[in-house]
Amino acid sequence: MAEITQEFINLAKEMQNKTGIPASITLAQLIKESSGRYPGGLSGLAYNDKNLFGVKGSGSAGSAYYPTKEFVNGQYVTVNAAFRKYNSFADAFNDRASFLSGNRYQKAFKDAKSVNDYAQGLQNAGYATDPNYANGLMKVIDQYNLHQYDSDKFTYTPVTGGSSGSSSSTSTGGESGGASKGIAGDLMFSINRIILVLLFLIVGIIFFMKAFPATSDTADLVTGAVNPMKKLKTAKKVAKAVGGK
């Protein structure tokens, strides 16, 4: 699970003061979207590309491509998609504030007065097509007591120049399928480690073969075996030498 660091808490609180979106909602989405096996419990997208919320498109550092599961026509399918890449976690939070200030979120949040209202608003606005996305967020909030980070400000205040951004439906909820990205990233990380070990093994074998060539002479010395052909050649040389005298 993604660790809720003091940096994340401070950024989530700052976002609530700016937009009214509860810090608990932001942190719950971070956990759902960015949990994996990289340091800090983060997914590959979150750890390598600083994308904590699975927003698609191009960020402050461009785009990164990952496979993701999306819920389409009643079933999950895996597709490759471009996700926003950031220079810092702060960039990810700031871009999220802009993204959630787009027209569809303004409509979804305009009457929000509670954490549950914001959770339902995210689902209604199409942040995810998972029919249980709002309930999933509330379960994460309750499980990790994220309410403690909320302030009393719940009045939605969109930032200027809201981003339209693209979104997708995912098996885990959220825009990018945090778990699927985490699994894919972790799989690639494991494969790279295996390849690296194999390369070291191959280099070691080559070095050993060069240092200790498996010639017939060394084999004879090791085993004490005598090659019959060598024995015959030696006998002929002795006979020739004797006959020559």
Side-chain angles (χ1 to χ4, degrees), residues 6-196:
Q6 191 60 51
E7 178 186 11
F8 294 160
I9 293 170
N10 292 341
L11 289 169
K13 286 182 174 181
E14 181 181 336
M15 184 173 177
Q16 181 170 8
N17 291 334
K18 184 187 301 182
T19 66
I21 299 172
S24 60
I25 286 288
T26 299
L27 295 173
Q29 283 195 290
L30 189 155
I31 290 173
K32 284 178 68 65
E33 300 296 336
S34 296
S35 292
R37 298 181 183 179
Y38 279 72
L42 298 174
S43 67
L45 179 63
Y47 181 75
N48 294 319
D49 306 303
K50 303 296 186 292
N51 188 333
L52 296 169
F53 304 103
V55 181
K56 288 183 178 180
S58 180
S60 59
S63 300
Y65 289 83
Y66 287 84
T68 179
K69 286 185 178 180
E70 300 192 352
F71 194 72
V72 180
N73 296 326
Q75 61 181 352
Y76 291 111
V77 296
T78 300
V79 299
N80 286 319
F83 294 94
R84 299 185 186 188
K85 184 176 182 177
Y86 302 102
N87 291 313
S88 67
F89 291 132
D91 280 356
F93 275 83
N94 290 331
D95 190 49
R96 179 174 186 269
S98 178
F99 179 76
L100 294 183
S101 295
N103 290 334
R104 60 186 171 128
Y105 292 104
Q106 289 188 31
K107 294 177 182 178
F109 295 151
K110 66 178 181 178
D111 296 322
K113 294 180 175 61
S114 67
V115 174
N116 189 69
D117 287 343
Y118 278 98
Q120 194 61 53
L122 285 170
Q123 181 174 315
N124 293 343
Y127 197 97
T129 57
D130 179 358
N132 295 312
Y133 187 67
N135 290 334
L137 284 178
M138 295 306 299
K139 287 181 179 179
V140 171
I141 290 171
D142 292 337
Q143 181 178 357
Y144 298 105
N145 190 28
L146 301 180
H147 289 288
Q148 64 181 304
Y149 304 117
D150 290 334
S151 68
D152 294 331
K153 179 184 177 181
F154 291 106
T155 302
Y156 175 65
T157 307
V159 297
T160 57
S163 167
S164 59
S166 62
S167 63
S168 67
S169 53
T170 65
S171 62
T172 57
E175 310 239 339
S176 64
S180 66
K181 292 194 306 301
I183 292 172
D186 297 338
L187 179 60
M188 289 301 298
F189 183 68
S190 299
I191 291 174
N192 289 337
R193 291 181 64 182
I194 293 173
I195 292 174
L196 187 62

